[in-house]
Amino acid sequence: MSLRRTPLKRTPMQRPRAKSPTTRKRQRDTGFPDAVKKLIHDRSGRRCEVRQACHGDAAVQIHHRRPRGAGGSSLAWVNQAANGLDVCSPCHTFIESAREYSEAHGWLVSMNKKLRPNEVPVLLVHDLEPLLLSDDGTWSRSTKGVTGNDE
């Protein structure tokens, strides 16, 4: 016994129309521009700059020292060379999993502090002292914590 008073009508299913390529919203590229990638690769020699979970493996990723946040960042300096480290996959995983240790070594820059990556010293594998990275792909010695004896 059916409670329905009218019979069901069968209609063919229609697929939703795909938007034309001109009307699609283009996703914003939130990564490093090619020119900045080249600066970072030149600085590192395309080898891992952290070497905590490797033995100088080839760098296959560029790690953002100060995270971009969900959806990227509109701040231009987030995608500059001072904010990028050339790393291998195991070291990138290590940096993200040992966040407090990584922040102490400058591999991560806290979003809570108002410092830019070029103001935070970072310990790279090719040096024994923390360095300050610059946006032109170079580095300089950090003067933080260094006392001068100029007599």
Side-chain angles (χ1 to χ4, degrees), residues 107-118:
W107 303 324
L108 279 177
V109 178
S110 174
M111 293 179 76
N112 297 328
K113 296 176 183 167
K114 301 298 180 196
L115 296 174
R116 291 186 178 187
N118 61 352

Side-chain angles (χ1 to χ4, degrees), residues 47 53 79-80:
R47 307 305 289 175
N79 289 317
Q80 293 298 321

Side-chain angles (χ1 to χ4, degrees), residues 18 28-29 31 34 36 45 48-49 62-63 65 69 92 101 107 109 118 120 124 127 134 140 146 148:
R28 191 167 46 110
D29 185 12
D34 289 338
V36 174
C48 182
E49 293 184 288
I62 297 179
H63 164 69
R65 294 174 62 205
H92 201 185
Y101 183 81
W107 303 324
V109 178
N118 61 352
V120 177
L124 299 182
D127 215 311
S134 66
S140 61
V146 177

Side-chain angles (χ1 to χ4, degrees), residues 3-54:
L3 299 176
R4 184 175 285 285
R5 293 178 188 221
T6 57
L8 287 174
K9 294 181 183 177
R10 294 194 177 258
T11 57
M13 291 185 64
Q14 294 180 350
R15 292 183 184 197
R17 283 186 177 178
K19 294 181 179 179
S20 68
T22 57
T23 60
R24 284 187 189 167
K25 185 175 179 182
R26 185 171 177 265
Q27 285 188 340
R28 191 167 46 110
D29 185 12
T30 61
F32 291 100
D34 289 338
V36 174
K37 288 179 186 179
K38 183 177 179 349
L39 292 173
I40 294 169
H41 293 322
D42 288 348
R43 181 183 70 215
S44 71
R46 291 194 177 250
R47 307 305 289 175
C48 182
E49 293 184 288
V50 175
R51 295 190 194 170
Q52 287 296 301
C54 72

Side-chain angles (χ1 to χ4, degrees), residues 117-122 130-134 138-143:
N118 61 352
E119 300 169 327
V120 177
V122 59
L131 306 170
L132 288 174
L133 302 180
S134 66
T138 60
W139 51 267
S140 61
R141 297 262 175 240
S142 170
T143 57

